[in-house]
Amino acid sequence: MADDSLRTALHDESPAPPRADIDDLKRRLHDHLRHSLGKGPVGSTNLDWYLALALATRDLMVETWMDSTRRAYSNDAKRVYYLSMEFLVGRSLDANLLATGSLDLARHTLADMDLDFEAIRECEPEAALGNGGLGRLAACLMESMTTLSIPAFGYGIYYDYGMFSQYIEDGQQVEMPERWLRYGNVWAFDRPDVIMPVRFHGHVEDTRDQHGHVGRRWAGGEEVLAEAHDLMVAGHECWTVNSIRLWSAQASREFDLRHFNQGDYINAVAEQSFSESLSHVLYPDDSTSMGKALRLKQEYFFVAASLRDIVRRFLSTHDDFTTFPRKVAIQLNDTHPALAVPELMRILVDEHRLGWDEAWAICNGTFAYTNHTLLPEALETWPVGLMENMLPRHLEIIYRINHQFLEGVRARAKEVDDDRVRRLSMIDEGGERRVRMSHLAFVGSHRVNGVAALHTDLMRAGIFAELHREFPDRIVNKTNGITPRRWLRSANRPLSALITRHIGDRWVAHLDDLRGLLPLAEDATFQEDFRAVKRLNKEALCRYIDARLGMELDPETLFDVQVKRIHEYKRQLLNVLHVITLYLRLKEGRAGDAPPRTVIIAGKAAPAYYMAKLIIRLIHDVARVINADPATNDRLRLVFIPDYNVSVAEHIIPAADLSEQISTAGTEASGTGNMKLALNGALTIGTRDGANVEIGEEVGEENIFFFGLPVEKAEHLRNNGSHDPWQYYTGDPELHAVLDMIGQGGFSHAEPDRYRPIVDSLTRHGDHYLLLADYADYIACQDRVGRAYLDTDAWTRMAILNVARMGKFSSDVTVADYAADIWGVPTPGWTADAASP
Ligand code: 26V
């Protein structure tokens, strides 16, 4: 610790606000307590105070929110619509206090009232309306669009149940539903007056208007109503407030009458709640497209309601559709909203009687599509039969889009190659016929983007190679980013304060300013302060873990962190192999002077993902054995933190020394946790995958720990038929011992075969994600990490350089690039002297 004054400064960096401001906030809190919540100060709980504070903060946002809407209307500004099945917002109190400039005032006021700010903050329910990376990216991009003063709307689903809560029982994951709306939602305005009818099933009929024009019309079937709920999103310093409009399902009146008139009241109510169940729950699996009808229904439900809303807003100030693509940009977050393409065609052609070609040009000019995964099992395809039944008109439109597209291909080609046509088609004809949603989204969009440079290259060369040949300018890269407001300024107040003390606070909106820290990387005092900050964060995490798990950890040890969804491709198992390797070395006195480590893992497994759940169980069994071993437990600990979510991430990330980004090269599209950890001063151990490659380019090869097979070699190994994992098993005594210990019940004495499936998947079933091929290099790289950590000054220097060079990964930069290259909208909040995207 540099000195006590630093410690004091870091805990509470702000001078007390004027007495009058404190008194004013107190008055507003009491006001809300009484008039909004119907409570008096006596007997009010932390939850009541949270609600009062949130309401008072919301009051400060409403004016800007309305101003922002008015401004967009009066300027006839082009609006950006971000369509996403998921928005992983997390908590909003801190972000909104920060945006409205009232964070310090709130802290001082609550302290003045003898209230516990930290405890009050923790009362906010988590808005976990997403699975992981894709949903969190949507939240970061919305925040940055707002900060850049882009008139933007998110559109999605108001799930009653977001991501499940993860409990651990007997070392195993148990899922519990989380009713996050049980105390209402301060940050959303319900709009029972904004309702959009959405049709399912029914039939298609021919029509003829009074001019004799023939057309098609979708009729009959059932109708569900979509009701709007508007979530406010504040930008930095609250110049602009945008909204995320989320839809919940309501039974339609027509439905009510029809059923209730039949006199079967009880069954009618039951059926009513059946149609409302559409928006009940988020699908918690982000790794396999299971082809469930309810999921398709959810997709169409929110797409239909959103497009109706978008078209209504456009027509309120325009007479026809000619300028539509100049006024409306719609970004499709993966293929989940890809039905927007045929839906907009249906609206234009069937409802507004535009010609097909004109409508198609409008669609293509409006849509852009972001791809987030190359894993074949996660690519969405829907059985033609399912779509025909649920969305008969859309299937017709998709057939026609496909027909015209393939005609074009044939016309452009010198000779017709049927095989090529088959590969390009929107319909997969091998086996049960299915609609390829990625082809629909690709052809319907003017831009298609990957989320990191490597991923975009792999899209061009791999899954979209044929489409790329047809449209060579369509695929572009937009490397992901993270918002520095949440992921540094708010989650890591000690580091923020230290940075601001040296370079001012402009970095919060211009992250590239962190380069101002470069000269300080060599500065002994700054290094010492930087270490003190990390130490403070590690102590805080230790308290958090002790409070939640009753486990005491040593903040002096190297905090080695892997936090993300549990998936075989992310290779948490490889991390466990390293832990066991270290354990055996320690037991056998072969660990040398390796520094003491605390390995921290957190993440959820999809409820139906057997292997992922077994890996969680293994982590717990390994942790139980090694943490209880007095021969080693002062040098090695393994901790699994349950129920990983945005708020838990905010606790863990600032305390990390080492960031594990160890996916098989070519599998992780980008990663964003990698950026969050590096921005908070963790060094990365990683493969050359996703955005790790670009992080390496920015921070310098000497400040990151790369290991493992690069994409080409990994692919070659997998594809040339010679991959023989058994060889690694028999050829490496250390690996052999580790796998035997797992496979023979060394961590599961009561059930020695418990982990056979894991060991067999590696040694006998092809080791699809190449853990054994990368094992030796990973261990060697971890040894280098251990040695580097022992040189405290050099390590600190590297960590500072990481922080200083992360400017590229601000989601402001990402958004500015989308705005210029895809949406064609100005970014008034992005000043000219900021880093150019
Ligand atoms: C896929 C599926 C498959 C169908 C069933 C439901 C469902 C729900 C979500 C997903 C999305 C998986 C894709 C995803 O989250 N990709 C992650 O996107 C991040 C943001 O671009 C990126 O950083 C991660 O590398 C990538 O895995």
Side-chain angles (χ1 to χ4, degrees), residues 577 584 723-745 755-756 758-767 770-776:
L577 297 184
L584 293 180
H723 178 220
D724 179 13
W726 191 261
Q727 255 179 13
Y728 300 105
Y729 170 58
T730 52
D732 183 336
E734 240 185 343
L735 175 61
H736 199 286
V738 169
L739 291 176
D740 282 358
M741 187 163 180
I742 299 172
Q744 294 164 7
Y755 299 111
R756 260 288 127 215
I758 286 184
V759 175
D760 285 350
S761 82
L762 300 179
T763 53
R764 294 171 194 276
H765 302 145
D767 185 16
L770 308 177
L771 280 76
L772 304 195
D774 274 344
Y775 170 83

Side-chain angles (χ1 to χ4, degrees), residues 86 131-135 137 283 285-290 295 334 336 372-373 378 380 451 480 569-570 668-672:
E86 308 189 1
N131 272 282
L134 166 146
L137 181 75
Y283 273 88
D285 191 336
D286 67 346
S287 48
T288 39
S289 177
M290 288 175 299
R295 164 87 187 180
D334 217 295
H336 316 153
H372 295 270
T373 181
E380 281 192 302
V451 290
N480 283 165
Y569 86 80
K570 294 176 187 283
E668 188 71 272
S670 162
T672 44

Side-chain angles (χ1 to χ4, degrees), residues 22-297:
I22 293 183
D23 289 341
D24 178 54
L25 178 55
K26 264 192 209 174
R27 195 180 41 72
R28 288 188 284 132
L29 293 178
H30 280 109
D31 238 37
H32 272 301
L33 203 60
R34 179 173 293 275
H35 298 121
S36 311
L37 305 169
K39 295 231 175 164
V42 180
S44 52
T45 60
N46 279 343
L47 175 65
D48 296 325
W49 287 115
Y50 157 69
L51 291 170
L53 178 57
L55 286 164
T57 310
R58 186 178 82 177
D59 291 343
L60 301 175
M61 298 163 63
V62 169
E63 275 315 306
T64 317
W65 190 35
M66 293 181 173
D67 271 357
S68 308
T69 311
R70 264 196 301 272
R71 216 165 43 229
Y73 263 104
S74 58
N75 299 345
D76 190 21
K78 181 167 187 175
R79 293 170 174 88
V80 174
Y81 296 102
Y82 199 82
L83 266 57
S84 178
M85 284 285 274
E86 308 189 1
F87 288 91
L88 224 187
V89 174
R91 292 190 174 128
S92 292
L93 179 62
D94 243 38
N96 292 340
L97 282 171
L98 192 64
T100 53
S102 24
L103 182 59
D104 291 328
L105 176 61
R107 196 162 335 112
H108 281 95
T109 306
L110 294 186
D112 206 65
M113 297 165 78
D114 274 333
L115 293 167
D116 180 348
F117 184 49
E118 300 300 321
I120 286 171
R121 283 203 300 200
E122 296 273 329
C123 287
E124 178 172 358
E126 184 91 3
L129 307 183
N131 272 282
L134 166 146
R136 184 53 231 176
L137 181 75
C140 282
L141 294 186
M142 282 305 303
E143 197 268 2
S144 279
M145 287 191 262
T146 309
T147 290
L148 269 56
S149 292
I150 295 173
F153 292 78
Y155 273 110
I157 296 178
Y158 204 48
Y159 302 104
D160 297 304
Y161 297 91
M163 193 60 193
F164 61 81
S165 289
Q166 178 193 54
Y167 289 80
I168 302 296
E169 273 177 32
D170 202 15
Q172 299 176 76
Q173 168 175 301
V174 177
E175 303 88 25
M176 293 285 269
E178 186 67 47
R179 276 186 49 219
W180 73 292
L181 292 171
R182 64 185 173 283
Y183 310 115
N185 180 2
V186 174
W187 309 115
F189 287 102
D190 299 334
R191 303 288 193 205
D193 54 324
V194 181
I195 42 176
M196 303 289 162
V198 179
R199 186 189 307 279
F200 294 100
H201 309 296
H203 60 273
V204 187
E205 54 199 26
D206 288 320
T207 59
R208 184 184 290 274
D209 66 12
Q210 69 265 42
H211 311 293
H213 298 143
V214 292
R216 301 282 282 164
R217 192 169 75 96
W218 181 25
E222 68 175 57
E223 218 169 66
V224 177
L225 297 181
E227 176 183 326
H229 307 263
D230 290 338
L231 230 73
M232 288 189 284
V233 181
H236 177 58
E237 294 187 340
C238 211
W239 299 314
T240 302
V241 176
N242 281 321
S243 18
I244 302 178
R245 176 159 279 187
L246 301 176
W247 304 102
S248 70
Q250 313 288 330
S252 76
R253 292 293 301 156
E254 177 201 321
F255 175 93
D256 286 359
L257 289 174
R258 197 150 29 96
H259 288 70
F260 284 89
N261 283 345
Q262 288 160 6
D264 188 358
Y265 177 75
I266 295 293
N267 272 318
V269 175
E271 285 194 42
Q272 185 180 28
S273 66
F274 182 73
S275 71
E276 295 179 352
S277 70
L278 221 164
S279 57
H280 267 338
V281 55
L282 165 79
Y283 273 88
D285 191 336
D286 67 346
S287 48
T288 39
S289 177
M290 288 175 299
K292 288 274 196 301
L294 179 60
R295 164 87 187 180
L296 181 63
K297 225 170 173 179

Side-chain angles (χ1 to χ4, degrees), residues 89-92 95 136 483-488 490-491 646 650:
V89 174
R91 292 190 174 128
S92 292
R136 184 53 231 176
T483 167
R485 270 72 64 184
R486 178 175 296 257
W487 296 110
L488 181 52
S490 154
V646 172
E650 290 167 13

Side-chain angles (χ1 to χ4, degrees), residues 107 139 191 194 286 314 332 361 406 499 563 631 653 706 709 739 747 794:
R107 196 162 335 112
R191 303 288 193 205
V194 181
D286 67 346
F314 175 79
L332 305 175
L406 294 176
I499 294 170
V563 287
I653 289 172
F706 279 128
L709 296 168
L739 291 176
F747 301 101

